[in-house]
Amino acid sequence: VFDGFKMFLGKNVWDDNDTSTANDIATILTLFVQQLNIANLIQNPVTSGKTGWCKYKVNIRNIRYGKISIDLNPINGGLFFKAIIPNFSADVDIPVSGFLCPDFDGDVSATRITLSANVMLSINSLGEPVATLNSPNVTVDGLDIDIGGIWGFLLNWIIDFFEDDFANMIED
């Protein structure tokens, strides 16, 4: 093969589990996402709908989180990718329109959000690299939703019963 080369990309090239030096791809990705503003990637409203005669929108603002960690492990045909977002929190604003339809606001937090997937790597017939996501999984641990104001006083105890269901909806 003219003008070609071959190299071995072992486990330590992908992730040597040492973030003190940027000498592996996982550390470089970690440094990249630390500079990334996740809030800019979220389009508000994140969802909207109608319940009865009340129309609502859900806006998420002021997103905060701890230091994101990324792990990459070679698997047959690709990489296993895992990212952990610790200490996630955000403000939630739910404006509602309609007769006798109150607005809601509050905050949401999670002790950890874990994202994982198999990234299968191949080369197509044009010689271009192709990455395919297989078995994606999102887990939200320690979800806590608090509604502010008088509605929070009246409804937070009910929401506490459904936080696991809300976590499952977010994961989906």
Side-chain angles (χ1 to χ4, degrees):
V1 176
F2 298 106
D3 298 326
F5 68 92
K6 180 179 179 180
M7 70 176 134
F8 177 73
L9 299 176
K11 181 178 177 348
N12 285 340
V13 171
W14 295 105
D15 191 350
D16 64 3
N17 290 319
D18 178 9
T19 57
S20 65
T21 57
N23 61 356
D24 61 273
I25 295 172
T27 300
I28 293 168
L29 285 174
T30 300
L31 294 170
F32 174 75
V33 274
Q34 286 175 0
Q35 303 304 316
L36 186 66
N37 186 345
I38 292 177
N40 288 340
L41 302 175
I42 295 177
Q43 300 283 324
N44 279 313
V46 293
T47 189
S48 60
K50 184 176 181 181
T51 301
W53 61 88
C54 299
K55 294 180 182 177
Y56 64 88
K57 296 178 182 178
V58 178
N59 299 304
I60 298 177
R61 305 187 195 294
N62 197 18
I63 295 173
R64 302 163 306 278
Y65 47 89
K67 185 178 177 182
I68 296 173
S69 66
I70 295 176
D71 288 316
L72 293 173
N73 291 309
I75 59 173
N76 189 17
L79 295 168
F80 174 73
F81 167 84
K82 180 178 175 183
I84 297 175
I85 305 171
N87 305 319
F88 177 87
S89 64
D91 297 332
V92 179
D93 175 37
I94 307 172
V96 183
S97 61
F99 181 68
L100 294 176
C101 300
D103 293 344
F104 294 92
D105 65 3
D107 57 69
V108 62
S109 63
T111 55
R112 176 175 57 203
I113 300 173
T114 305
L115 305 105
S116 63
N118 292 329
V119 182
M120 306 312 291
L121 304 171
S122 62
I123 303 293
N124 68 16
S125 61
L126 300 174
E128 301 167 334
V130 177
T132 306
L133 199 62
N134 285 350
S135 308
N137 187 37
V138 177
T139 306
V140 179
D141 295 317
L143 181 68
D144 185 32
I145 302 169
D146 287 315
I147 297 174
I150 187 68
W151 293 110
F153 175 75
L154 296 173
L155 299 175
N156 273 333
W157 66 276
I158 294 173
I159 288 176
D160 289 343
F161 286 115
F162 296 101
E163 283 178 343
D164 288 338
D165 294 329
F166 291 142
N168 291 336
M169 288 172 27
I170 293 167
E171 290 168 359
D172 289 341

